[in-house]
Each structure stands twice: as structure tokens, then as C-alpha cells.
Amino acid sequence: KERRAIMPVKIKRILYATDLSATSPKAYVYAVKLAKVLDAKIVILHVVEELQNVNILPVMSPEIIEKHYKDFETGGRQLIKERLERMCVTEFKDDPNCPNLVESVEVVIGHPFEEILNRADKYDCDMIIMGSHGKGILAHALLGRVAERVLRHSKKPVLVVPV
């Protein structure tokens, strides 16, 4: 039998997708620990879901919608920054390199699963890490809707952390 050499897996950049829920830092711990072991960088992504209610949109002016998205983007970036600082002090207090693991923070507007896949490609990430709230009793018994779709469509390894 012919044996093929297995290419070593090289993970240099990890996309950590967060919904900014109170439990989402649990998945971030995995991202940090893996990044440290693999000597990788982390790209943090939070996606603000686009307004979907078409009944409300015509009533809202474009300026109000734009302000709504800007507020979410600014608030999301600030919350991520505060959580990172707090986790470097609490979870990773013995690691002075903790803040340097994060290469960039993205807060974007769109459809979460599509943006996660798009940004993973854009930043040439080798892996995706995200938390999942297992909701529902049938199709989503083990995974949340976004995590399930990312797993189904990603061509990159995905680590889903139950939160």
C-alpha cells in the first residue's frame, strides 16, 4: 500500500466569533489557550444582525438606522475591549503576553453566519472558535442556529464551545 505523507497542520490565525452574551467569554478562554500553544493570533468578530423588520424600516429614517448601527458597533467594540482587559487580569494574570494575542477586533453589520465565514476567509484564519447556546429540542438540541450553519458551511475547522 502506498502511504501519503500527512501535511502538518499550521494554525497561525484563529477567528473567535462572539455574540457578546454574558457566557461568551467561556469560548474566548479556549481561543486564548489554543493561540498560546500554537503561537497563533486571534481575530475577534462580533456581528450586529441587520434590522429585519420591514414594517419598521420605512418609518425609520436612514440617519436613525445609521446611528443605530454605529451605536451597536461602538458599544460592541467597547464591551470587547473591557472584557479582554478583565480576562487578561483574571484568567490569564500570569501571562503578560495575553493582550498581544489579539490581532484585530471587528464589529460588523450583517448576517452572523455569513460574516463569520467571510471574515475567516478575509483574514486568512485557519480555525474558527465560537460559543453555542443549545436552544430548542429538535434541530438545535445541541447547537445554536448560527453555530450549526457555520459548521455546515465552513471549509475550516470549527471549535464550538457549549456556553
Side-chain angles (χ1 to χ4, degrees):
K1 291 182 179 179
E2 182 183 327
R3 290 187 144 197
R4 289 187 207 173
I6 298 175
M7 297 283 293
V9 175
K10 204 73 169 139
I11 297 176
K12 297 312 266 170
R13 193 169 290 116
I14 299 169
L15 178 81
Y16 162 63
T18 178
D19 63 0
L20 296 181
S21 65
T23 56
S24 64
K26 185 176 176 184
Y28 182 66
V29 170
Y30 282 84
V32 169
K33 289 188 177 192
L34 276 172
K36 286 169 57 174
V37 168
L38 300 169
D39 192 28
K41 292 291 185 180
I42 301 170
V43 174
I44 299 176
L45 173 66
H46 171 61
V47 182
V48 177
E49 187 115 32
E50 285 185 274
L51 291 172
Q52 298 295 313
N53 191 335
V54 291
N55 295 328
I56 292 175
L57 289 179
V59 176
M60 296 175 73
S61 71
E63 294 81 22
I64 292 174
I65 294 170
E66 184 66 29
K67 182 179 179 337
H68 169 78
Y69 286 140
K70 278 288 181 208
D71 290 348
F72 269 114
E73 183 180 345
T74 304
R77 282 184 187 281
Q78 185 60 35
L79 184 56
I80 289 168
K81 181 178 181 263
E82 289 168 6
R83 284 188 180 172
L84 292 178
E85 289 171 359
R86 193 171 336 127
M87 288 190 77
C88 283
V89 170
T90 59
E91 294 286 328
F92 304 105
K93 61 181 172 246
D94 298 329
D95 184 4
N97 194 39
C98 176
N100 302 327
L101 293 173
V102 176
E103 184 176 87
S104 65
V105 175
E106 289 282 317
V107 178
V108 299
I109 298 159
H111 302 289
F113 104 92
E114 290 174 358
E115 289 298 332
I116 290 168
L117 296 176
N118 290 341
R119 299 297 164 145
D121 286 340
K122 177 182 177 183
Y123 289 100
D124 197 25
C125 294
D126 306 296
M127 177 180 210
I128 299 169
I129 297 179
M130 59 193 304
S132 175
H133 308 277
K135 294 178 183 171
I137 57 173
L138 297 173
H140 307 292
L142 298 175
L143 294 173
R145 177 182 58 91
V146 174
E148 181 182 356
R149 293 179 83 183
V150 169
L151 271 173
R152 193 174 327 130
H153 297 282
S154 179
K155 294 183 178 28
K156 301 172 186 294
V158 179
L159 173 62
V160 179
V161 179
V163 294

